[in-house]
Amino acid sequence: MHNRGWKNHSSVTEFILLGFSRNPRTNWILFFLFFFLYLFTVLGNGLIVTLIRIDARLHTPMYFFLSILSMLDLSYATTTVPQMLAHLVSKNKTISYTGCVIQMYIFLTLGITETWIFAAMAYDRYVAICYPLHYGVKMSQTLCITLVASSALCGLICALVYTVFAMNLPYCGPNEINHFFCEIPAVLKLACADTSLNDQVDFILGFILLLIPLSLILASYVRIFIAILRIRSTQGRMKAFSTCASHITVVTMFCIPCMVMYMRPGSEATPEDDKKLALFYNVISAFLNPIIYSLRNKDVKRAFFKLIGRGEDTP
């Protein structure tokens, strides 16, 4: 008797993740590079979440969404980087079939949730700048929690669709994934079947999960820029624009590589390009977000100095 499920379609019980290089010296250099990137990602995002939790002045919708973004980035990197570090210095570079499915699902869930959180953050800035007098009423705690919960639900459901379509294909060998983690485009290249349907599903879901949030973000910023141009004082304009510039930078760094990875046909992608793109939105983006978004923010700096000053309110 065969067990029903994904394993029924496949003779592969584990995959080998080839990573970046077969040269041990190169791998040790990459190990230390990614170790420090991951360490600072954990510290940076962890610090942001802690400061927002403990400082009452940061208990606003903008910082609530920012703390969610930091938690997502922290989880996102943790899904792939510790395993990548272990594989860089180990001869054993395998991952079980089940482990690959789980990693793929968690990674996609977090990534999809993050794209919708970006849209929620853009809406928050739109309300703050275009309707400042009604901000407290419009961006209620209930609405903020609903936006985060619906983003997470979308991530959980759509990631399941992605994963089921990918792992329902037969994998009969070879089992070497030319990537540093189980990402769908890299895994699909090993399928012993036609993947054109998967390419279509990836494109449609990519359209829904990337282009729709990006359209909402773009619409919010068009309205925001119109409102900023109406502000008479230069200082007022600069203050309003500075709160949006970081968000635009972060969204661009995350979403553009994701669009390239998930919305192009698999036949057009080279493994080395895929790895560089994945590094950008998985590792580099999570590392830079606290720096771009928060550590140059006056409110966060004030909270940080207050924390290390043991209660002294340093401006």
Side-chain angles (χ1 to χ4, degrees):
M1 287 283 289
H2 289 287
N3 291 328
R4 289 187 177 183
W6 288 334
K7 287 262 182 107
N8 194 32
H9 296 272
S10 176
S11 60
V12 171
T13 57
E14 64 180 19
F15 293 103
I16 299 166
L17 293 162
L18 296 181
F20 298 97
S21 173
R22 295 181 186 272
N23 185 323
R25 182 178 291 179
T26 304
N27 282 338
W28 273 106
I29 293 168
L30 290 172
F31 172 84
F32 285 110
L33 173 64
F34 292 130
F35 173 77
F36 284 110
L37 279 174
Y38 180 64
L39 181 64
F40 287 118
T41 297
V42 172
L43 292 174
N45 286 291
L47 178 63
I48 298 305
V49 173
T50 304
L51 292 175
I52 290 169
R53 287 276 177 90
I54 65 175
D55 195 306
R57 283 177 298 188
L58 299 182
H59 293 175
T60 64
M62 183 176 92
Y63 291 110
F64 170 69
F65 289 127
L66 193 53
S67 68
I68 298 296
L69 181 66
S70 288
M71 285 190 281
L72 285 171
D73 282 335
L74 195 55
S75 306
Y76 205 54
T78 302
T79 307
T80 59
V81 178
Q83 177 200 272
M84 177 181 72
L85 292 173
H87 284 180
L88 282 169
V89 295
S90 169
K91 289 183 179 179
N92 180 18
K93 301 181 189 296
T94 60
I95 183 171
S96 68
Y97 186 93
T98 305
C100 190
V101 172
I102 292 169
Q103 185 183 57
M104 187 184 290
Y105 179 68
I106 294 172
F107 182 82
L108 282 167
T109 299
L110 295 168
I112 293 165
T113 303
E114 189 156 325
T115 59
W116 287 100
I117 291 295
F118 284 139
M121 293 172 86
Y123 177 72
D124 170 69
R125 291 299 82 211
Y126 160 69
V127 175
I129 291 170
C130 297
Y131 301 99
L133 299 178
H134 303 99
Y135 180 67
V137 177
K138 285 180 176 285
M139 293 304 296
S140 65
Q141 187 178 21
T142 304
L143 177 63
C144 293
I145 292 170
T146 302
L147 288 171
V148 170
S150 56
S151 297
L153 186 63
C154 180
L156 289 164
I157 294 169
C158 294
L160 187 63
V161 175
Y162 259 120
T163 308
V164 167
F165 265 88
M167 302 315 287
N168 211 37
L169 293 167
Y171 293 90
C172 43
N175 67 336
E176 291 186 340
I177 300 172
N178 195 352
H179 211 303
F180 61 91
F181 73 101
C182 286
E183 189 164 31
I184 283 184
V187 175
L188 284 178
K189 290 175 182 176
L190 302 183
C192 310
D194 180 24
T195 60
S196 56
L197 176 61
N198 294 78
D199 283 341
Q200 290 171 17
V201 169
D202 287 357
F203 183 83
I204 292 165
L205 282 175
F207 182 85
I208 295 167
L209 302 172
L210 286 168
L211 291 186
I212 291 179
L214 280 174
S215 299
L216 294 171
I217 291 166
L218 183 63
S220 296
Y221 276 106
V222 167
R223 296 291 299 273
I224 285 168
F225 287 134
I226 291 170
I228 288 173
L229 290 173
R230 289 176 182 163
I231 298 172
R232 291 182 179 179
S233 72
T234 307
Q235 189 178 358
R237 282 185 188 178
M238 290 303 294
K239 186 178 178 182
F241 183 75
S242 67
T243 62
C244 303
S246 299
H247 185 243
I248 295 169
T249 306
V250 169
V251 168
T252 305
M253 277 197 326
F254 182 84
C255 291
I256 301 302
C258 284
M259 284 176 67
V260 175
M261 177 71 89
Y262 283 91
M263 293 185 71
R264 67 181 175 186
S267 57
E268 291 182 11
T270 66
E272 296 311 311
D273 287 345
D274 282 353
K275 281 184 260 190
K276 287 170 189 172
L277 282 169
L279 268 179
F280 208 83
Y281 59 74
N282 178 214
V283 182
I284 309 299
S285 178
F287 165 71
L288 289 177
N289 279 3
I291 300 166
I292 294 171
Y293 226 126
S294 305
L295 298 182
R296 67 188 197 93
N297 178 295
K298 286 182 182 178
D299 294 330
V300 175
K301 277 183 178 178
R302 191 183 293 117
F304 176 69
F305 287 128
K306 184 179 177 182
L307 179 68
I308 62 172
R310 298 179 184 178
E312 291 176 22
D313 194 5
T314 308

